Amino acid sequence: MIQAFGLTSDPRKDLPPAVDDVSFEARAGHVTTLLGATGAGKTTVLRLMLELQQGRGVTHFRGRPLHRIAHPSREVGVLLGDVPGHPGRTVRGHLRMLCAAAGVPVRRADEVLEAVGLVSLRDERLGTLSRGVDRRLGLACALLADPHTLVLDDPADGLSVREGRWLYGMLRAHAAHGGTVLVTTADPKEAARTADRVVTLDGGRVVADQEAADFARTRLRPRVAVRTPHAARLAAVLTKEARTGRRSVEVVPEGGNRLSVYGSTCADVGETAFRHGILVHQLADEVGDMGAGAGETAQLPPEPPPGAPDHADQHAGTDSPQAPGTQQDTAEHGDATPPQPLTATADETTPPLTPTPAEPAQPAPAPAPATPEADTPAASPAPHPNEPELPEPPPTPDTPPSPPPPPSPSTPSPSPTDSLPELPPPISVRPAPSPLRPLRYELRRATGISVGFLTGAVVLVVSALTAVLLARVGHTPQHRLLAAWPRELPLPPAALGAGLLGALAFGDEFRHPALAADRGTVPRRLGLLAAKLLVSAVTALVLAVLTVGCDAELLHLFYGRELARVPPDWLSLGASWVGLVIGCAWAGVLAAGVFRSTTAGLAAVVAVPVVVVPLVQEILVGPSVRSAAGLPLRLRELLLSQWPFGGERYLSAVAGVLAQPVGGALTLSLAALLCAYLLTTLRSGAR
């Protein structure tokens, strides 16, 4: 169950808040729809509920706010807009990464892919998916951790009729199994057709909260759309005949030569126009939308006296008495939408309506899902490579669906094809989080795309060519040849590559925020930071070793063993080299996490030798700074004992690295970036 209390967004400048004091309830086992036109505040309400936007109010998911739920993805499945994944990642790789984030078995990815019918596209890249496949993948991501609640923002937007019907069938199946479903839409007919309860928003406020049957009865009414060059004359004639026959007929001018006639039929309107010699260009049965405030009217006004003026029946906000079985008029018709004629085709999206008593009852045509052209695989056209066949909805006799709402004139009768699709099987998740969960997520994130491998390959090639050219030119020390580090460059290619990979570790998180809607699925504070630092350090170490190895092999191949020999002080040089590459990688990770940008992370890496190193050198050469010579001997005297396995050598090597200008600059930069990251993280957590 979802309980929202007083959701209010923060006002911007002098503008009123987009959402003002929105409160509603979405019960378990039901599909609840937030209905409203564009700009009514539907998406803002969802973002406030999920704590993705600053504002006031509180939302309880089964009695607890989201920030007090240990694993939000196991409680709430979210789909806001398109799937926010890296376009180069595969469908299956994206789901496997989210499995690691949510702490569920990796086989769950294949189960949800089968449930949504994407098994044949599991190796496709996210950037190549069509709109329909993207929405089905979004539903798979929402169902991945087997959540109790689904929150989806306009899930059927841009889908075909059949895909939309299948999607809502999945949501209905989730609700039938006891789950809570909250969706948004701007189509009143879709809300009446698919929801159990409709909450109408207008101008950021709740204007109606109704059961689907009451919503369809009070807001959606059958009408006759008329187009005639004599609209005013026909309106007067229809009003007069309705008053004479004491029938509840309302005529609403729609502008120009169009009329909307409520409470009548095409046959009655056509016969009236024929008797009075009025030319009619169009007669069509439609369903009229009575506007956002239609559900607010609960009582009909009293019956007008017999001597009431003629214009009383035409007033937009006045209701005349109804004959038994006719529709009620409960809203102002000034908000009526333009006519949307119904057509009896396989793509018909509006259910047939029960005829009024003035028209003989006709058997309702079969709904579109039952037509062989729409659902029979043998009769359907060949699918597009990115549009696979939707899985057939097998019956679920063991879990019957929730009872349908009471029948209403605008509610379609159930058909045999409305059986519930099969959901992925439930899973049992571990009650305690695993400390390896962020590490698994980071490994799958880093290895799921080819950017890291391409960057490493480019670094090795550039480094090897640079080493060969430097050896040919001469005047370069051997340790710089092995690192391919010209004196003219602030950093060698390996350090720049490690910094770029580190910056991508957090830059991709903010550019393609796969976890933005699921706050807290991965510990985004110290757990995720530690995982990224560990993975980036291992990657930088591998890159540093491979770079030196490739450079040494090429130098030996081109110029002999003289340039490829091991330097005498290899220990201190190796420690400096590894510390430089890992430090650049960590600087990229922390800077990208602080500034939320890959470019900013790489800029921080380059700024270390360009800006920070000169400042450190000026400080170290000052007259008040003592020399660090003899530091290993003083450390040995301080500890009064030998380190096991000659550990004092490694300690002295580390001290020597820190005493260098580049090492000191990297240390200072990393300390400053780490403090900034912790400060911004704690600040966002406090908010």
Side-chain angles (χ1 to χ4, degrees), residues 120-133:
S120 60
L121 297 181
R122 59 185 178 182
D123 294 327
E124 294 291 329
R125 305 290 177 179
L126 298 186
T128 63
L129 301 181
S130 64
R131 176 68 173 176
V133 176

Side-chain angles (χ1 to χ4, degrees), residues 623-648:
S624 61
V625 178
R626 295 181 180 271
S627 174
L631 178 62
L633 181 60
R634 291 194 295 272
L635 287 175
R636 181 179 302 177
E637 294 175 354
L638 178 63
L639 297 176
L640 301 177
S641 63
Q642 296 287 338
W643 283 69
F645 307 106
E648 69 276 359

Side-chain angles (χ1 to χ4, degrees), residues 397-594:
D398 53 341
T399 307
S402 58
S408 65
S410 59
T411 303
S413 58
S415 62
T417 59
D418 291 334
S419 56
L420 300 178
E422 185 177 2
L423 293 174
I427 56 176
S428 58
V429 295
R430 294 180 295 272
S434 170
L436 297 180
R437 186 160 58 95
L439 184 58
R440 291 194 190 101
Y441 164 78
E442 179 61 22
L443 286 174
R444 289 172 184 168
R445 186 209 60 79
T447 58
I449 55 178
S450 59
V451 175
F453 301 102
L454 292 178
T455 302
V458 170
V459 166
L460 293 179
V461 172
V462 172
S463 180
L465 294 178
T466 303
V468 172
L469 292 178
L470 289 177
R472 182 178 181 84
V473 173
H475 308 292
T476 302
Q478 185 196 11
H479 64 277
R480 281 187 170 263
L481 280 179
L482 294 177
W485 189 356
R487 297 181 181 274
E488 294 78 10
L489 295 180
L491 288 174
L496 288 175
L500 176 59
L501 292 177
L504 287 172
F506 258 129
D508 283 347
E509 293 283 357
F510 297 106
R511 187 178 179 185
H512 308 288
L515 300 176
D518 276 349
R519 275 184 72 242
T521 48
V522 169
R524 297 194 66 84
R525 295 179 176 87
L526 298 182
L528 183 62
L529 176 63
K532 290 185 178 297
L533 291 179
L534 179 59
V535 172
S536 62
V538 173
T539 304
L541 179 61
V542 172
L543 191 61
V545 173
L546 290 179
T547 300
V548 173
C550 291
D551 294 347
E553 287 294 329
L554 279 182
L555 290 175
H556 179 270
L557 178 64
F558 280 91
Y559 302 106
R561 187 176 301 176
E562 181 67 21
L563 295 180
R565 70 179 188 275
V566 178
D569 53 344
W570 64 270
L571 181 60
S572 60
L573 291 176
S576 301
W577 173 242
V578 172
L580 174 65
V581 177
I582 294 180
C584 289
W586 283 358
V589 171
L590 293 172
V594 172

Side-chain angles (χ1 to χ4, degrees), residues 247-444:
R247 293 186 294 113
S248 177
V249 175
E250 184 176 7
V251 182
V252 180
E254 298 290 349
N257 58 354
R258 296 180 181 272
L259 296 175
S260 292
V261 183
Y262 295 88
S264 186
T265 63
C266 286
D268 290 343
V269 174
E271 291 176 0
T272 301
F274 178 77
R275 286 197 305 268
H276 293 81
I278 300 176
L279 178 63
V280 175
H281 291 164
Q282 179 190 17
L283 283 176
D285 285 320
E286 295 180 353
V287 175
D289 180 13
M290 305 302 296
E296 295 181 314
T297 304
Q299 300 294 334
L300 293 176
E303 178 179 352
D310 290 346
H311 62 81
D313 290 330
Q314 296 183 8
H315 195 276
T318 304
D319 291 326
S320 57
Q322 284 187 308
T326 58
Q327 295 290 332
Q328 297 178 358
D329 180 15
T330 58
E332 296 184 3
H333 293 276
D335 295 332
T337 57
Q340 301 177 0
L342 299 177
T343 56
T345 63
D347 292 336
E348 182 175 352
T349 61
T350 304
L353 299 171
T354 304
T356 57
E359 181 182 5
Q362 298 291 337
T371 57
E373 294 81 0
D375 284 342
T376 305
S380 58
H384 189 270
N386 277 350
E387 294 289 350
E389 286 294 325
L390 294 173
E392 292 296 330
T396 55
D398 53 341
T399 307
S402 58
S408 65
S410 59
T411 303
S413 58
S415 62
T417 59
D418 291 334
S419 56
L420 300 178
E422 185 177 2
L423 293 174
I427 56 176
S428 58
V429 295
R430 294 180 295 272
S434 170
L436 297 180
R437 186 160 58 95
L439 184 58
R440 291 194 190 101
Y441 164 78
E442 179 61 22
L443 286 174
R444 289 172 184 168

